[in-house]
Amino acid sequence: MDFVVLPDHPATDPLSLCLRRDPTVRTVRHPSGRPWIMGHWADDEAVAAEAGPDRLLLLGTTSADPATLARLLRRLRGLEDLDSRVRELSGSFFLLAAMGSRVRCQGSLSTIRQVHHAGIGGVTVAGNRPQDLAALAREAAAVGLPTGAPGLGSVDEESLALRLLSPFAPYPLAQRPAWRAVHAVPPGHCLTLTAGGRHATTRWWRPPPPDRWLEDAAETVRDALTEAVRVRTRRPTLSADLSGGMDSTSLCFLAARDDTRLITTAWVCRDEANDDNVWSERGAARLRAAEHLALPYAEAPTWYTPPPPAHSDPAGPLVLVRECARIAHQAGIVAARGSRLHLVGVGGDELFAPRPAALNSLARIDFRTAARRACAARRLGRWTLMDTLRTLFGGATYPQWLESCADRIVPGARFGVNGADWEVVPSMPTWAHPDAVATVRRLVREAAGEEPEPFAPLRSQHETLRAAARGGEIVRGADALTSHLGVAFEAPFLDDNVIEAALTVRLVDQAAVGAYKPLLSAAMRGILPDALRARGTKGEHSAEVYAGLRRHRRALTALCDDSRLAGLGLIRPEVLRTALTSLQPHSHVLQPLDPTLAAEYWLRALRPTQAPVPARPTVPAAEGA
């Protein structure tokens, strides 16, 4: 699915001509007759309604039908009424509405459906894919139209520097597109276009108060997740991960309750000590009506298989770069068996895993309980006394924390997580060029100076929403791979209604120490067998990491010979080569490798007209490296 949204303005006429060069493009028009939405989508991805001059269109996966949407539209007095009305709908979708001279564009909280915008031809144009806006800007420039900001439509080298951060850049920089002068609408916000061609970004959603007892919140989560899965099981055939974890297993058991043919898949782990295989087999044994496919490790691409250009997402570097070949391989297998939609458990960890930041939020209202649990966490997690005290007493605002974060961004892997920070403090890889490190620090300070509002006032909720947005980025990238094979990649946990339900549980339950996903476990009582809900372990995949690096070391080190990132002055290839060829006793030391490889492969997949011009000659590898 791809689309562009245009305001009802004369300047959009020549822009629409650029888009009409594709004979397969679909068009929805304003009452004036000018194009409103242009793009590509399947019939089952769209639900539309009209009431006089007002229009409402949902693109994606939704519980709504045309009659439901028409009733909703008739109840609207203005676009602002959608703030509450959209909660009546389940699924994951874009909401596009036009009332009078105003247009509203809205994605999902997790950013699986994310709206972007850019100033092109004198007006603001919106769309779901940043690369499409960049391409439209280039085409507009080619026919002599004003393109707006300098460099619009080209690769943003500063954004690529941010992409080198491990594990990820802090908000709001994590939302920055890889294309220059293209902007992402923040989660929980909507974009409004006016007939004058201008735009405004407005927050429409705020997190609920965390005041519900565990059992009450679990009931809300169960209802929301059940409906999220039911929206997908309307298809005759469905496939889903059954990795053995509580997240994917819960989705499979929910899907099995509906009238659909279910195919479950599980990767056979290379390490026999990884108990994912055991729990996956136990789940498959209970799902007798489902077809279970065990995917042997030896018969699939290994981790770090160099991806062909088709295994990329033009929107930006892939988060799951190490697994992209395996994801495409899995999609081909389920597609051959008739699946056109594959469910994954992404979002389960993000929403339900206990987070140290909850201790900081709990300390604001119940210090004694927070202190007792922080002491327990210190024993289990081997926190230092200073980290424990910072977790309990840290009170910096988000802009203050972001400012301090800039000074702590250094080359080298960072370890340890506590609740003293709003987010994980990222680090640059050891092979980052000093200029790239300086650029990232500057960008973080500039972002802090704009005093960004966090996702939520409470650190625990901010961290949960930040993790959900990261999960959304993972799903977006994976879907870009699998959609080429005719398989949509979807994560019911990351639907808006499920996220909101997960945020309602009391802080004292969010800050549980020693309990494994208590809210999800309670929500699945009676649906997931007790024997499967009892799992408290999580698989570890170091064996896959090391095996993949051994098999592909030659191809990976060859990237250092003509690195595109080095050509832009972002990395030192001789240091990267050393990291790839030296022994690494701990797999987490290799975590910074993934964002670098993702950015490198992404640049190589770009067409010549898209690729950036090197800022400096490629730094040669050291002799003997």
Side-chain angles (χ1 to χ4, degrees), residues 488-570:
F489 201 83
E490 297 210 8
F493 280 114
L494 293 178
D495 284 6
D496 287 5
N497 290 346
V498 180
I499 293 174
E500 185 162 356
L503 294 173
T504 62
V505 72
R506 295 184 309 159
L507 291 172
V508 68
D509 294 312
Q510 291 183 34
V513 177
Y516 185 70
K517 300 183 180 177
L519 178 57
L520 180 59
S521 178
M524 290 297 102
R525 187 176 292 118
I527 299 173
L528 196 62
D530 291 344
L532 300 179
R533 288 195 308 120
R535 184 182 184 186
T537 61
K538 189 171 180 64
E540 199 274 336
H541 298 278
S542 294
E544 282 81 1
V545 171
Y546 288 128
L549 285 176
R550 283 196 302 271
R551 176 168 294 187
H552 302 294
R553 180 169 283 124
R554 178 173 297 180
L556 294 176
T557 54
L559 297 175
C560 301
D561 296 336
D562 61 342
S563 168
R564 306 296 193 271
L565 290 171
L568 296 176
L570 297 176

Side-chain angles (χ1 to χ4, degrees), residues 210 360-367 507-508:
N360 180 277
S361 299
L362 180 61
R364 310 277 80 77
I365 60 173
D366 187 351
F367 184 81
L507 291 172
V508 68

Side-chain angles (χ1 to χ4, degrees), residues 255-383:
R257 301 168 80 193
D258 297 326
D259 186 18
T260 187
R261 173 174 168 244
L262 179 62
I263 304 168
T264 62
T265 64
W267 293 104
V268 177
C269 301
R270 187 179 181 89
D271 186 356
E272 294 182 359
N274 188 334
D275 62 349
D276 275 355
N277 292 337
V278 174
W279 288 95
S280 177
E281 292 169 0
R282 290 175 181 173
R286 298 291 190 103
L287 291 168
R288 295 183 180 89
E291 176 187 359
H292 184 64
L293 303 176
L295 307 179
Y297 184 88
E299 298 177 12
T302 60
W303 287 21
Y304 293 111
T305 297
H311 289 177
S312 66
D313 181 3
L318 284 169
V319 176
L320 291 178
V321 64
R322 65 169 69 169
E323 298 177 67
C324 63
R326 285 163 65 88
I327 291 171
H329 175 78
Q330 178 192 41
I333 290 174
V334 298
R337 284 166 171 77
S339 175
R340 295 296 175 262
L341 191 150
H342 187 79
L343 301 185
V344 292
V346 178
D349 287 342
E350 289 80 354
L351 297 184
F352 301 108
R355 297 190 179 279
L359 293 169
N360 180 277
S361 299
L362 180 61
R364 310 277 80 77
I365 60 173
D366 187 351
F367 184 81
R368 288 187 177 182
T369 301
R372 287 196 299 268
R373 297 197 174 182
C375 290
R378 183 189 177 197
R379 291 191 298 271
L380 292 173
R382 299 181 181 179
W383 292 1

Side-chain angles (χ1 to χ4, degrees), residues 21 153 187 198 217 242 283 285 331 370 389 437 446 449 461 466 486 505 522 566 604 607 612:
R21 293 171 187 165
R198 298 185 179 182
L242 182 56
L389 293 175
V437 177
E446 290 175 355
Q461 290 188 325
R466 192 280 314 155
V505 72
R604 290 169 179 264
R607 296 191 298 272

Side-chain angles (χ1 to χ4, degrees), residues 60-318:
T61 301
T62 174
S63 61
D65 56 28
T68 301
L69 207 60
R71 288 193 297 270
L72 186 151
L73 181 57
R74 286 194 296 268
R75 299 203 308 268
L76 297 180
R77 294 169 298 177
L79 291 177
E80 292 72 21
D81 287 353
L82 286 167
D83 293 1
S84 57
R85 297 296 184 187
V86 71
R87 290 178 167 88
E88 301 172 12
L89 307 175
S90 298
S92 174
F93 50 83
F94 291 99
L95 184 152
L96 307 172
M99 297 186 73
S101 61
R102 300 169 66 214
V103 171
R104 174 166 171 158
C105 310
Q106 179 176 313
S108 60
L109 297 178
S110 69
T111 74
I112 289 178
R113 315 292 186 183
Q114 188 167 37
V115 175
H116 299 83
H117 64 93
I120 307 174
V123 296
T124 299
V125 180
N128 65 322
R129 304 199 310 182
Q131 68 270 29
D132 292 344
L133 296 177
L136 180 59
R138 292 194 297 271
E139 290 198 32
V143 297
L145 297 177
T147 57
L152 176 60
S154 61
V155 171
D156 186 347
E157 292 90 343
E158 290 190 344
S159 179
L160 289 181
L162 289 167
R163 299 288 181 125
L164 299 181
L165 284 167
S166 176
F168 38 74
Y171 177 77
L173 295 170
Q175 299 292 309
R176 180 168 171 166
W179 297 96
R180 189 174 298 167
V182 177
H183 309 280
V185 177
H189 292 68
C190 63
L191 179 75
T192 303
L193 305 180
T194 68
R198 298 185 179 182
H199 76 275
T201 302
T202 309
R203 179 185 280 270
W204 73 270
W205 180 89
R206 293 188 181 275
D211 56 4
R212 306 193 70 178
W213 292 78
L214 180 65
E215 290 302 323
D216 292 337
E219 183 177 355
T220 306
V221 169
R222 179 167 55 250
D223 291 344
L225 190 58
T226 298
E227 184 61 24
V229 173
R230 183 177 295 126
V231 169
R232 276 87 178 178
T233 55
R234 295 174 179 178
R235 295 171 180 257
T237 301
L238 187 75
S239 58
D241 282 352
L242 182 56
S243 66
M246 188 187 300
D247 311 326
S248 65
T249 307
S250 296
L251 297 181
C252 290
F253 274 80
L254 285 169
R257 301 168 80 193
D258 297 326
D259 186 18
T260 187
R261 173 174 168 244
L262 179 62
I263 304 168
T264 62
T265 64
W267 293 104
V268 177
C269 301
R270 187 179 181 89
D271 186 356
E272 294 182 359
N274 188 334
D275 62 349
D276 275 355
N277 292 337
V278 174
W279 288 95
S280 177
E281 292 169 0
R282 290 175 181 173
R286 298 291 190 103
L287 291 168
R288 295 183 180 89
E291 176 187 359
H292 184 64
L293 303 176
L295 307 179
Y297 184 88
E299 298 177 12
T302 60
W303 287 21
Y304 293 111
T305 297
H311 289 177
S312 66
D313 181 3
L318 284 169

